Amino acid sequence: MRHNARIASGTRGVLGLLGWSVTAPAQAHVRWFTDPNAPELASFPAYSWSDPEVLVWSAIALVLIVASVLLDSRLPSPPIVRSKIRHDAIELLRICTGMSFVLTAYGGELLAPHLSAYGGFGAFLLFLQAFIGILLISNNLMYHAALLTGLLYLGAVVQFGLVPALEYISVLGIAVFLFCNHAPEPALRDRLKPYSVAILRIFTGLAFIALGINEKLIGFALGQSFMGQYPWNFMPAVGFSWFDDQLFVLSAGVIEVVFGVILVLGTTTRVNVLVLSLVMLTSNIVFLLQREQENALIELVGHMPIMATAVILLLLGYGQRLKFRLPGRRPGAVSTAVAA
């Protein structure tokens, strides 16, 4: 793309972005900060279903899920937070999602810092994402922003395929959450709002399940390659020398899937989200301790909507809508979201 000398600098920037997007080759997104097309990935060992490590972790996962279901009805129900706190939590989700959209679009990525847009359609999606981010930050046309966010996610499915997009299906959950809280008809809004937190929780859980399977269980080589670059496996340092990188990736993948399944079920939501938040915070801290500030920033930008979602689930996670209950258990309080 050629620039005429008379074109203003702002226009040159826009055209430059379009030129980059049109000429960039189609590529898979970077996962685990690793190129998924690297030839050395084929050399990493893989587990089979009959391996003891897989069987043990499958049993642990089942125990954790069953324990969550059994404990859910026995844990005390925290009091309902005040309306203003509910409002502020939803505002935080709006702002964090908007900032993540704008910053990610500025870097040439869609939905998350690892999905690099390409082609003319990718350029359109980048501008759409930036526009949605501006609407969210400025708190304008929220109903339309919700619809456009759903359209953006569908565009990402077309751009990258269904499986990679499933890892970020939480974005679609945010779109539905915003739609429920900003539907134009008051009667429709009142019917949908009681389900909005549960929908947000379920879509977030589905995203974690997809991430655990695609990037750690099926994508085991990516995780092991990451471990070779960044020494995150702390188990040998605390005396478990047999706990190698392959087992660490398997463990991380299973735990992530367990987090996701428990979120989908809606049992022990607050405990689950609290642990999950600590894990995400730890990943950023580890990058900073390793002086990987750029990767820490990438993690932070990508995690902003999830962290804000965690705040909502911590405050409003008491809802009984769309959750698994053992037969004979009576539903408790119903969570409702407040239009921001």
Side-chain angles (χ1 to χ4, degrees):
M1 180 176 296
R2 298 178 179 177
H3 299 284
N4 189 287
R6 293 173 295 178
I7 297 178
S9 58
T11 306
R12 287 201 301 268
V14 173
L15 295 178
L17 177 60
L18 280 171
W20 170 84
S21 300
V22 170
T23 58
Q27 55 181 320
H29 69 290
V30 176
R31 298 155 67 187
W32 273 80
F33 298 90
T34 302
D35 181 4
N37 298 315
E40 63 269 16
L41 296 183
S43 63
F44 289 104
Y47 284 116
S48 66
W49 284 105
S50 59
D51 285 335
E53 295 88 346
V54 175
L55 295 176
V56 168
W57 266 112
S58 298
I60 292 174
L62 181 60
V63 168
L64 291 174
I65 294 170
V66 171
S68 174
V69 173
L70 295 177
L71 287 173
D72 184 62
S73 60
R74 292 170 171 81
L75 293 177
S77 298
I80 299 176
V81 297
R82 296 190 304 272
S83 176
K84 182 181 185 306
I85 297 178
R86 297 200 301 269
H87 175 274
D88 292 344
I90 297 172
E91 289 286 271
L92 180 65
L93 178 65
R94 170 182 65 78
I95 294 171
C96 285
T97 303
M99 291 178 62
S100 180
F101 276 9
V102 171
L103 292 173
T104 304
Y106 179 78
E109 289 92 19
L110 294 171
L111 304 184
H114 309 307
L115 290 172
S116 297
Y118 60 89
F121 184 60
F124 166 75
L125 292 178
L126 286 178
F127 284 112
L128 175 61
Q129 179 172 283
F131 177 67
I132 296 170
I134 293 171
L135 290 181
L136 292 175
I137 294 172
S138 62
N139 197 19
N140 283 308
L141 303 175
M142 296 300 296
Y143 169 70
H144 299 86
L147 295 178
L148 291 175
T149 301
L151 181 63
L152 174 68
Y153 182 79
L154 294 178
V157 172
V158 174
Q159 175 97 142
F160 303 108
L162 178 60
V163 172
L166 278 177
E167 299 175 7
Y168 303 98
I169 198 171
S170 55
V171 171
L172 185 58
I174 292 173
V176 177
F177 178 85
L178 294 174
F179 177 86
C180 291
N181 283 280
H182 297 278
E185 297 296 330
L188 176 61
R189 188 164 60 245
D190 291 340
R191 288 198 301 269
L192 294 178
K193 280 166 59 178
Y195 295 92
S196 60
V197 175
I199 291 172
L200 183 66
R201 166 178 54 78
I202 291 171
F203 276 90
T204 303
L206 292 174
F208 276 105
I209 293 172
L211 282 166
I213 293 175
N214 294 339
E215 297 202 354
K216 298 174 182 68
L217 300 182
I218 295 177
F220 60 90
L222 293 168
Q224 294 181 61
S225 176
F226 175 88
M227 292 297 166
Q229 301 175 57
Y230 307 98
W232 280 30
N233 183 6
F234 60 90
M235 298 300 287
V238 296
F240 300 95
S241 57
W242 48 270
F243 208 102
D244 58 15
D245 290 349
Q246 183 185 12
L247 182 56
F248 189 89
V249 173
L250 171 68
S251 306
V254 172
I255 291 298
E256 199 161 35
V257 171
V258 169
F259 280 143
V261 171
I262 293 176
L263 279 176
V264 171
L265 294 177
T267 55
T268 61
T269 298
R270 282 190 170 97
V271 175
N272 188 44
V273 169
L274 181 60
V275 176
L276 187 57
S277 301
L278 293 175
V279 171
M280 289 190 296
L281 180 62
T282 300
S283 69
N284 283 93
I285 293 175
V286 171
F287 269 136
L288 291 174
L289 292 176
Q290 294 178 346
R291 297 184 178 181
E292 294 286 342
Q293 286 84 357
E294 182 177 351
N295 288 335
L297 180 59
I298 291 174
E299 281 280 279
L300 178 61
V301 171
H303 284 167
M304 286 174 68
I306 299 297
M307 291 176 177
T309 297
V311 172
I312 287 181
L313 296 180
L314 283 171
L315 296 176
L316 310 177
Y318 48 76
Q320 301 294 317
R321 302 279 188 175
L322 305 178
K323 69 167 289 183
F324 177 83
R325 285 189 298 270
L326 291 173
R329 299 292 180 181
R330 295 180 61 186
V334 176
S335 67
T336 58
V338 180

